[in-house]
Amino acid sequence: MRQWSLIISFILFMPLVVAAPQPQLKNSYPDVYVVKKGDTLWDISALFLSNPWSWPQLWQKNSAIKNPHLIYPGDRLQLIWVKGKPQLSLNKFIKLSPQMRVVRQPITSLPGYVMVAYVAQDKLISAEAISAQPQVLGTSEERGYIAVGDVLWADQSLALSSQWRVYRLEQDFVRQDNPSKTENTAITAKISTLKEIADVTVIASDGVTSQLQVDRFQQEIMPNDILLPLLGRDINADLSFFPITPPLLLSATVLGQISGYSYISNYDVIVLDRGHLDGMVAGQVFELFKPGAQVQGNKGQYHYQASTLLTDSTQLGSVVMAQAMILRPYEYFSLAVVLNNQHPFKPGVVAQAPRL
């Protein structure tokens, strides 16, 4: 019943269809660009566009590039104009060798290490999910240091030979919404970050508890660590989502960086206080704004705010710090990756739809 209610809620809160952003060409862009190993679609688009999140418009409806996710290192890209609109044309790089066949990997939307780490595996968990998941009891020998091949116990009966990943709860993020004009109830939600500890395989179960053998570990496994199913690594579909523009009224606050660092920079993964029940969808691109400076004083004597005691001040306009692309929305929170950031910033900045 709860599953259907979540599905219905998601449908009710689906974002409205908005016009796709038009590409804004940079004043200077390369005549020809040769794709290199390690490039991403975002990186390449940033060479041509001031708003790289609109790159689907640059590749879309292009007979030369039927699928931008099948562009390979060595391919040559050139900007052309079709009916007054910019497009990228493609000259495929073909390397012939009578002795060996070179297998090339296509470029992806974002760096693979970001996508695999945060799209394929859970990195956030709710309080409700924590109570439902199996947890580590410990070892029969009260062993503090656990090595590969050692056996430990879990507090639930698990399927024989199933594989699990051990996580540790790290930091908590809390969302507290005030009641809206249309709804009298406030939203209070908490979610915790998960740190990978080890991989284990179930070797025995007595119907109440399970024995697990350690296959790989990064640090000491402790009682109360959380177990989640170990998923496969074949997530090619997830590595190729397109950036899309969120609804104009959808905004969020950056609660923090998933690894707990005080400052946030490029390619860091952040936690936002809005989730799929609010309309967050993987691929949405937001701009991150910080408040502008405050100026005090009278005409001819303006100065930046030096004291909080003075109330006569002017708040200047907010400043764009970076962009952030949604990687994975949860119910009330989302994970996003920071892009195009030049200067590290602290949590608390606001994520809003790009200014088209």
Side-chain angles (χ1 to χ4, degrees):
M1 186 66 182
R2 183 173 182 271
Q3 182 178 8
W4 279 108
S5 64
L6 289 178
I7 294 173
I8 293 171
S9 299
F10 177 68
I11 294 173
L12 292 177
F13 281 90
M14 285 183 67
L16 298 176
V17 176
V18 295
Q22 295 302 310
Q24 299 173 9
L25 293 177
K26 287 187 171 179
N27 293 330
S28 59
Y29 52 82
D31 294 330
V32 176
Y33 180 74
V34 179
V35 180
K36 303 188 298 294
K37 184 178 180 180
D39 279 344
T40 66
L41 292 176
W42 185 281
D43 296 332
I44 294 173
S45 300
L47 296 174
F48 294 89
L49 299 176
S50 299
N51 55 342
W53 57 88
S54 67
W55 64 254
Q57 303 298 307
L58 204 61
W59 316 88
Q60 204 169 25
K61 299 178 181 178
N62 191 333
S63 59
I65 305 177
K66 293 183 172 59
N67 186 347
H69 293 287
L70 295 180
I71 296 174
Y72 296 84
D75 291 347
R76 297 167 63 87
L77 298 171
Q78 183 176 9
L79 193 72
I80 61 174
W81 295 84
V82 178
K83 297 181 179 180
K85 294 184 178 181
Q87 287 188 358
L88 282 176
S89 66
L90 171 67
N91 291 320
K92 300 293 290 183
F93 172 75
I94 302 176
K95 182 176 180 179
L96 300 177
S97 173
Q99 297 181 351
M100 66 178 63
R101 178 173 176 266
V102 179
V103 178
R104 298 183 297 158
Q105 295 295 322
I107 63 176
T108 55
S109 304
L110 297 170
Y113 71 88
V114 174
M115 302 292 286
V116 171
Y118 295 97
V119 176
Q121 298 289 344
D122 281 300
K123 293 296 180 179
L124 299 177
I125 189 169
S126 66
E128 295 80 8
I130 291 173
S131 61
Q133 293 301 318
Q135 292 182 259
V136 173
L137 288 169
T139 65
S140 296
E141 302 87 358
E142 293 188 55
R143 188 176 302 168
Y145 179 80
I146 300 176
V148 172
D150 287 346
V151 174
L152 53 91
W153 292 81
D155 64 357
Q156 291 184 24
S157 177
L158 306 174
L160 192 63
S161 300
S162 59
Q163 294 181 303
W164 297 75
R165 177 154 288 169
V166 182
Y167 293 92
R168 182 155 305 142
L169 300 177
E170 287 216 299
Q171 56 180 330
D172 297 330
F173 293 105
V174 178
R175 168 179 170 178
Q176 179 71 58
D177 293 353
N178 295 323
S180 64
K181 294 181 180 180
T182 57
E183 296 183 12
N184 294 324
T185 57
I187 294 176
T188 301
K190 186 176 83 168
I191 205 160
S192 303
T193 59
L194 293 168
K195 180 179 181 180
E196 292 184 12
I197 300 297
D199 292 342
V200 296
T201 300
V202 179
I203 58 174
S205 177
D206 60 9
V208 178
T209 59
S210 299
Q211 285 183 291
L212 307 102
Q213 181 172 287
V214 179
D215 302 322
R216 179 190 68 88
F217 75 101
Q218 294 177 292
Q219 66 182 77
E220 176 190 352
I221 303 173
M222 300 176 64
N224 304 308
D225 283 342
I226 302 293
L227 295 170
L228 294 176
L230 181 60
L231 304 179
R233 291 290 186 181
D234 186 13
I235 57 164
N236 292 330
D238 293 326
L239 294 179
S240 59
F241 59 72
F242 287 81
I244 54 178
T245 305
L248 292 177
L249 298 181
L250 182 57
S251 64
T253 300
V254 176
L255 297 178
Q257 200 255 20
I258 196 167
S259 298
Y261 299 130
S262 300
Y263 285 89
I264 300 168
S265 58
N266 219 33
Y267 287 140
D268 280 349
V269 174
I270 55 177
V271 180
L272 302 178
D273 66 348
R274 292 293 181 270
H276 71 72
L277 294 182
D278 304 289
M280 290 291 202
V281 176
Q284 285 176 338
V285 177
F286 292 83
E287 286 187 323
L288 302 181
F289 293 87
K290 74 169 184 178
Q294 286 199 349
V295 175
Q296 294 180 332
N298 300 317
K299 186 180 289 291
Q301 296 180 333
Y302 294 133
H303 59 274
Y304 294 115
Q305 180 177 352
S307 171
T308 57
L309 298 177
L310 299 176
T311 58
D312 184 16
S313 64
T314 301
Q315 177 75 53
L316 302 184
S318 56
V319 180
V320 178
M321 297 290 298
Q323 283 87 43
M325 180 185 286
I326 302 298
L327 292 176
R328 184 170 182 174
Y330 293 75
E331 282 187 340
Y332 298 106
F333 302 86
S334 294
L335 290 178
V337 59
V338 175
L339 302 163
N340 293 353
N341 171 246
Q342 301 299 323
H343 303 286
F345 59 93
K346 288 187 174 182
V349 301
V350 176
Q352 294 179 331
R355 297 170 178 174
L356 305 181

